[in-house]
């Protein structure tokens, strides 16, 4: 469960545009907490007047911005449990970093934010690896499971393989929304053991507390986001049930009206959870944030429509290696600027500004233990 890719909601767009005109224009503010070991000087995000509404930021970031498609090289990787993942890659200079990108709920390597950051990294000569989580992209996986918000073992084996391919190269990772939760959960579980695998990370619009965020999507205008996600999630569920009849209650899944109901009937039984409450509690990264020891940037917009304020982490709960970057505006994985046409270049530049100054210590050929 989580949230970073959707197509526009046609009847919602004029409502959002109209509402935008009523938003008070305030000076953008950025709150930085816990600077990482290498200095990072944030720049405040300042959108144009018509992009100051969080819903416009969210929808615009997903659909209204044109970002060139990277010249991906596609590969199919076999997972440790005998499944298949569709991987998109860009090859950079041999001595430059490799950046791994993890997308959000119902996203893929073709999501706007993945394309934008991949293009920006490639322009620096970096290599990029963008996995499509199971059943995402154009490939339906072959095991009786999908992808889920707590699947930190998936992050582990992907980063393990990338370390094997790039043993002497700086290795960075970025996660968006659901992918951010998965990455942060893995970082917290690994603690000091993460540093040989990845040298620096960023997470954007992370749903730190899945229970709070999931329930928040049943209220007010946010209900449209939840229902929209259900459209493609149900299509995946139908395809998976055709592969493995009886693996979950398809009738109840297709009747779901909320993400909680969908996760109760599909995601929980497919992935070994008791129900949605058990799934969300055990998959949330929030309790694991204090254990992160890898330099990590958390980029969040305070006006993110998916995030109730109480679901955001407290500065006092974060370790010194974690930098919390609260921007006043940006919506959910939006951060769209410009007038016409709108642009998606602020967020990639901001994230690369955090990653670029960091030079990892020499590994001297050391291979991390599993």
């Amino acid at each position: 469960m989580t949230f970073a890719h959707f197509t526009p909601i046609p009847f919602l767009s004029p409502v959002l545009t109209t509402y935008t005109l009523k938003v008070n224009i305030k000076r953008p503010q950025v709150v930085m907490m816990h600077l990482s070991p290498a200095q990072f000087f944030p720049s405040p995000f300042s959108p144009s007047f018509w992009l100051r509404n969080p819903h416009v930021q969210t929808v615009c970031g997903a659909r209204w911005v044109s970002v060139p498609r990277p010249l991906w090289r596609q590969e199919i990787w076999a997972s440790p449990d005998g499944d298949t993942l569709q991987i998109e890659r860009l090859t950079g200079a041999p001595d430059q970093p490799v950046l791994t990108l993890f997308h959000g709920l119902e996203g893929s390597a073709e999501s706007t934010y993945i394309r934008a950051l991949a293009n920006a990294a490639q322009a620096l000569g970096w290599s990029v690896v963008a996995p499509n989580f199971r059943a995402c992209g154009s490939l339906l996986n072959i095991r009786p499971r999908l992808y889920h918000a707590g699947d930190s073992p998936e992050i582990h084996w992907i980063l393990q393989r990338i370390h094997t391919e790039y043993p002497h190269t700086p290795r960075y990772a970025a996660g968006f929304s659901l992918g951010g939760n998965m990455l942060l959960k893995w970082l917290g579980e690994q603690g000091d053991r993460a540093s040989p695998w990845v040298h620096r990370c960023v997470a954007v619009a992370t749903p730190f507390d899945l229970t709070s965020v999931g329930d928040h999507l049943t209220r007010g205008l946010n209900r449209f986001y939840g229902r929209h996600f259900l459209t493609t999630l149900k299509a995946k569920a139908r395809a998976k049930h055709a592969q493995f009849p009886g693996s979950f209650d398809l009738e109840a899944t297709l009747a779901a009206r909320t993400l909680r109901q969908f996760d109760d009937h599909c995601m929980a039984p497919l992935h070994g959870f008791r129900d949605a409450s058990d799934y969300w509690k055990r998959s949330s990264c929030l309790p694991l944030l204090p254990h992160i020891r890898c330099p990590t940037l958390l980029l969040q917009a305070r006006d993110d429509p998916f995030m109730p304020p109480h679901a955001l982490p407290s500065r006092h709960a974060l370790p010194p290696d974690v930098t919390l970057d609260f921007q006043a505006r940006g919506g959910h994985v939006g951060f769209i600027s410009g007038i016409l046409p709108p642009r998606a270049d602020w967020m990639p530049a901001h994230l690369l500004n955090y990653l670029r100054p960091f030079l990892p210590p020499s590994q001297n050929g050391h291979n991390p233990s599993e």
Side-chain angles (χ1 to χ4, degrees), residues 255-274:
R257 296 177 59 84
T258 66
L259 289 172
R260 176 181 285 277
Q261 292 172 355
F262 180 89
D263 288 350
D264 268 332
H265 298 298
C266 180
M267 299 300 289
L270 275 181
H271 302 107
F273 299 100
R274 184 180 65 252

Side-chain angles (χ1 to χ4, degrees), residues 175-332:
F176 298 84
S177 196
L178 173 142
N181 184 82
M182 294 168 67
L183 177 60
L184 295 176
K185 181 174 180 283
W186 177 81
L187 287 170
E189 291 169 346
Q190 295 297 312
D192 292 327
R193 298 188 302 274
S195 57
W197 301 102
V198 65
H199 300 117
R200 181 162 280 212
C201 295
V202 294
V204 181
T206 304
F208 303 98
D209 182 348
L210 295 174
T211 301
S212 297
V213 173
D215 290 340
H216 192 62
L217 285 179
T218 64
R219 305 185 182 110
L221 193 59
N222 294 334
R223 288 177 295 178
F224 297 115
Y225 298 119
R227 291 175 183 174
H228 191 69
F229 285 128
L230 286 174
T231 301
T232 51
L233 285 169
K234 289 179 180 180
K236 281 190 173 69
R238 191 187 297 273
K240 185 56 60 177
H241 195 271
Q243 282 182 307
F244 300 97
S247 53
F248 59 93
D249 188 338
L250 179 62
E251 183 178 354
T253 296
L254 297 180
R257 296 177 59 84
T258 66
L259 289 172
R260 176 181 285 277
Q261 292 172 355
F262 180 89
D263 288 350
D264 268 332
H265 298 298
C266 180
M267 299 300 289
L270 275 181
H271 302 107
F273 299 100
R274 184 180 65 252
D275 53 22
S277 294
D278 181 49
Y279 165 36
W280 293 356
K281 181 178 180 180
R282 291 166 55 188
S283 299
S284 294
C285 69
L286 185 62
L288 293 165
L289 296 182
H291 305 294
I292 294 177
R293 297 296 179 266
C294 174
T296 302
L297 175 71
L298 309 183
L299 174 61
Q300 298 284 141
R302 288 191 180 276
D303 67 353
D304 188 329
F306 296 172
M307 308 292 173
H310 66 270
L312 297 174
S314 165
R315 59 175 299 180
H316 305 293
L318 298 178
D321 286 310
V322 176
T323 300
L324 184 58
D325 182 354
F326 276 159
Q327 297 285 337
R329 294 188 172 91
H332 187 73

